[in-house]
Amino acid sequence: SQKIEQNSEALNIQEGKTATLTCNYTNYSPAYLQWYRQDPGRGPVFLLLIRENEKEKRKERLKVTFDTTLKQSLFHITASQPADSATYLCALRVPGGSYIPTFGRGTSLIVHP
Amino acid sequence: IAGITQAPTSQILAAGRRMTLRCTQDMRHNAMYWYRQDLGLGLRLIHYSNTAGTTGKGEVPDGYSVSRANTDDFPLTLASAVPSQTSVYFCASRDRDSGELFFGEGSRLTVL
């Protein structure tokens, strides 16, 4: 079965720095990969989607890369702000068959002022 | 505002009781999902439905059932609650074109 690994340790960074979060997966090559943000007590909110034939996707201060050879996606937040503090989840879909979104356990990001 | 509505927001339940968590969407999405989220375990899929009238089992379906009588509603039922079902439950729907999942705000369930 598909396994998704995200760093379970919280990432602490200083305001203004670039935060980089990692999502590794095994067994399959997903058709696409998504990143979500989750604040305490709230449901996850969609941020970005990157397809298997795309290397990089950007949205404002966010950038996602997708390396199907390494089976890895990197999620970057540039010029980080304390308001970026949240848990970030990656999710993927394997190609073909019934779409079953599978999530990693998430990485907590803490941006210190 | 369009989206997913879950009810109740929170509930304390005695073990052995029956409970139904409600989920309604107004985006006319075909696919809907129920996840539970536990500390350290992330989001785990309980059941899903690709379209009205069909349902499927996810990673942790035991003790749960779902129905999908129409496009908008996707209730999750615990027939006889047990303490291990204490969790936060999230309902989601998927936009077929973008692949984006839309989540509700969750239902926090405590089984004593």
Side-chain angles (χ1 to χ4, degrees):
Chain A
S1 62
Q2 184 67 258
K3 185 175 180 181
I4 306 169
E5 295 180 345
Q6 293 186 258
N7 195 336
S8 59
E9 293 185 10
L11 177 63
N12 286 271
I13 65 168
Q14 208 63 34
E15 182 176 8
K17 301 293 186 182
T18 296
T20 298
L21 306 176
T22 304
C23 178
N24 295 298
Y25 57 93
T26 60
N27 295 345
Y28 298 104
S29 292
Y32 56 76
L33 189 148
Q34 302 175 345
W35 284 89
Y36 289 79
R37 169 183 173 142
Q38 186 175 24
D39 293 288
R42 308 294 298 274
V45 174
F46 173 81
L47 295 174
L48 281 168
L49 178 152
I50 186 165
R51 301 186 184 279
E52 60 181 338
N53 61 349
E54 297 175 318
K55 295 293 186 184
E56 182 180 297
K57 183 73 72 73
R58 292 176 183 262
K59 178 182 176 181
E60 298 173 353
R61 294 185 296 112
L62 309 180
K63 184 179 82 171
V64 173
T65 62
F66 195 9
D67 189 325
T68 55
T69 300
L70 293 178
K71 295 187 182 295
Q72 181 181 79
S73 175
L74 298 179
F75 177 80
H76 307 273
I77 305 176
T78 59
S80 60
Q81 305 166 0
D84 295 326
S85 299
T87 296
Y88 291 86
L89 308 168
C90 71
L92 59 83
R93 175 214 171 176
V94 298
S98 183
Y99 180 104
I100 302 293
T102 303
F103 283 82
R105 297 181 182 185
T107 299
S108 176
L109 172 66
I110 303 169
V111 181
H112 299 276
Chain B
I1 297 177
I4 301 275
T5 302
Q6 290 186 236
T9 302
S10 66
Q11 182 77 43
I12 299 174
L13 189 67
R17 298 299 294 267
R18 181 184 179 90
M19 178 71 193
T20 295
L21 303 180
R22 300 183 298 279
C23 175
T24 299
Q25 55 121 344
D26 60 3
M27 297 171 282
R28 307 303 291 172
H29 292 161
N30 283 326
M32 297 187 73
Y33 310 89
W34 272 106
Y35 292 89
R36 60 177 288 174
Q37 188 173 41
D38 303 286
L39 193 64
L41 296 178
L43 285 164
R44 293 183 293 167
L45 183 68
I46 305 171
H47 285 287
Y48 66 94
S49 170
N50 286 329
T51 190
T54 69
T55 62
K57 294 182 179 180
E59 179 185 356
V60 288
D62 294 343
Y64 306 95
S65 64
V66 291
S67 63
R68 188 85 185 277
N70 57 63
T71 297
D72 297 344
D73 301 299
F74 191 40
L76 176 74
T77 297
L78 289 67
S80 179
V82 295
S84 62
Q85 293 177 312
T86 294
S87 186
V88 181
Y89 292 86
F90 288 100
C91 178
S93 69
R94 179 172 62 88
D95 182 295
R96 184 184 63 181
D97 296 326
S98 69
E100 177 180 347
L101 295 179
F102 292 80
F103 284 85
E105 293 292 17
S107 294
R108 181 177 296 275
L109 184 65
T110 301
V111 183
L112 302 176

